[in-house]
Each structure stands twice: as C-alpha cells, then as structure tokens.
Amino acid sequence: MLGAGLVAALPAAALAQQARAEIVQMRLESSDDAIYLSTTVRFELPAAVADVLDKGIALHFVAEAELFRERWYWTDQRVGQASRYMRLAYQPLMRRWRLNVSPTPITPLTSNVTLSQHFDTLDEALDAVRRIGRMRLADAGDVAEGGLHPVVFRFRLDTSQLPRPFQIGLVGQSEWNVSVERAARLPLETGR
C-alpha cells in the first residue's frame, strides 16, 4: 500500500519540478528580411539560486528556438534556429546587476563581444532575462506566407557554467532545475 502511494506521488513531484518556469507568450513575426520570435518566460529563482547570485557567482541562462516548415510527405524540415546566451552577475563594488547577452556561449574569452546592460535591482535584471525579444530564426524567403508554422522554444538555467564545486553539489537538487520547453504552431504576424 505504501509503495503504491509513493509511485502515485512521483508524477506529482515531477510536475512540481517542471512548474518552475512557464512560457506565457510566444509570437512569430515577419519583417522584410527575416522571421523573428519573441517570447516571455515566467519563473522565480529559488532561494538557493538567489543566494548564489548574492555571493557574486554568475548565472547563465540559455534560450533556444527552432522554426520548421511542414511537409506532408516527410518529417518537418528545420529552416531556422537561434540561440541566446545570457550571463547575470552581481557587481558588489558598483552595487548593480550586470546582464551580458550573446548569440554564442559566454566565456572569459568572448565576454568582450556581448551586449552588456546594467540594472539597479535583481527584479529589473530578471525581467530582462524573462523577455526574449526578436530572436532571428530564418530569412523571410524560407517560410511560406500564411498558415501556422511549427516552432520549438527552450529556456533553461545552464548549471554547467557554474564553478566546479557548485556543479558537484547540485547533484539531486531539483531547485536548480529552471527550464521549460514548448512546441507550438504559430501564425506569422507582419512586422512594423
């Protein structure tokens, strides 16, 4: 009886872990030259994650998207993809939050080729991480006008970028699982 209760509780625990982040808005937009995806992700940082940030250790977030062309005779063809890497860190001397954004993984060697923004509060910085605007997925000619277009969007906290001692200590800690994935068929809106 106890074993059956534990097995029934496992799916609820898995759902609670997946509920850390959710996508509240996805929009596919067409301009004269390209197709863009804009999304909004809702998540709250668990206390342990926020504590690491307060200690001056940077967090890395990754947003990835893929755009597909539907084919009736075969599997869908991927026509475009994009990634956005974000590094959030607290700068104690300035008492400000710094967010670096790049289309490639952010390392000490590539930190000079990123867009950098500064924020006064953690909430302001997290709002910038949550709003992912205009990711360029493909050229405008790669997608047919009208209809719905399959899009897959993934967002996650990249714990592989943390210092080694933190990576070792994260084994089995579900509160560090801030991730979400959504596949949808979206209409193509005409840009401004």
Side-chain angles (χ1 to χ4, degrees), residues 103-175:
T104 60
I106 299 171
T107 64
L109 298 176
T110 63
S111 63
N112 293 336
V113 291
T114 63
L115 172 67
S116 184
Q117 297 174 297
H118 294 273
F119 300 93
D120 292 328
T121 66
L122 176 59
D123 288 336
E124 291 173 358
L126 285 175
D127 282 343
V129 171
R130 291 177 184 124
R131 286 186 317 270
I132 299 156
R134 295 183 58 89
M135 288 179 67
R136 187 179 196 280
L137 293 181
D139 293 332
D142 292 341
V143 177
E145 292 292 325
L148 298 175
H149 302 280
V151 176
V152 177
F153 177 77
R154 294 175 205 86
F155 178 86
R156 65 185 162 85
L157 171 63
D158 187 4
T159 56
S160 69
Q161 297 288 334
L162 290 170
R164 278 284 180 219
F166 283 97
Q167 289 181 29
I168 294 168
L170 293 181
V171 175
Q173 292 188 18
S174 64
E175 60 191 6

Side-chain angles (χ1 to χ4, degrees), residues 28 36 41 43 51 78 80 86-87 89 94-95 105 111 114 123-124 145 160 162 164 166 169 173-174 178 183 190:
L28 200 58
Y36 297 96
V41 180
F43 67 92
D51 186 44
R78 184 173 66 197
M86 297 164 274
R87 180 183 183 272
M94 295 175 54
R95 294 185 183 174
S111 63
T114 63
D123 288 336
E124 291 173 358
E145 292 292 325
S160 69
L162 290 170
R164 278 284 180 219
F166 283 97
Q173 292 188 18
S174 64
V178 178
T190 305

Side-chain angles (χ1 to χ4, degrees), residues 64-106:
E64 300 169 316
E66 296 176 300
L67 176 65
F68 294 90
R69 178 185 301 136
E70 289 184 319
R71 297 189 293 190
W72 63 271
Y73 58 90
W74 198 252
T75 59
D76 293 346
Q77 176 187 15
R78 184 173 66 197
V79 294
Q81 66 181 9
S83 298
R84 185 169 293 173
Y85 298 87
M86 297 164 274
R87 180 183 183 272
L88 179 62
Y90 181 64
Q91 297 176 316
L93 293 177
M94 295 175 54
R95 294 185 183 174
R96 297 188 77 187
W97 295 89
R98 181 178 180 171
L99 178 65
N100 294 4
V101 180
S102 175
T104 60
I106 299 171

Side-chain angles (χ1 to χ4, degrees), residues 1-11:
M1 182 74 112
L2 180 61
L6 288 175
V7 171
L10 283 177

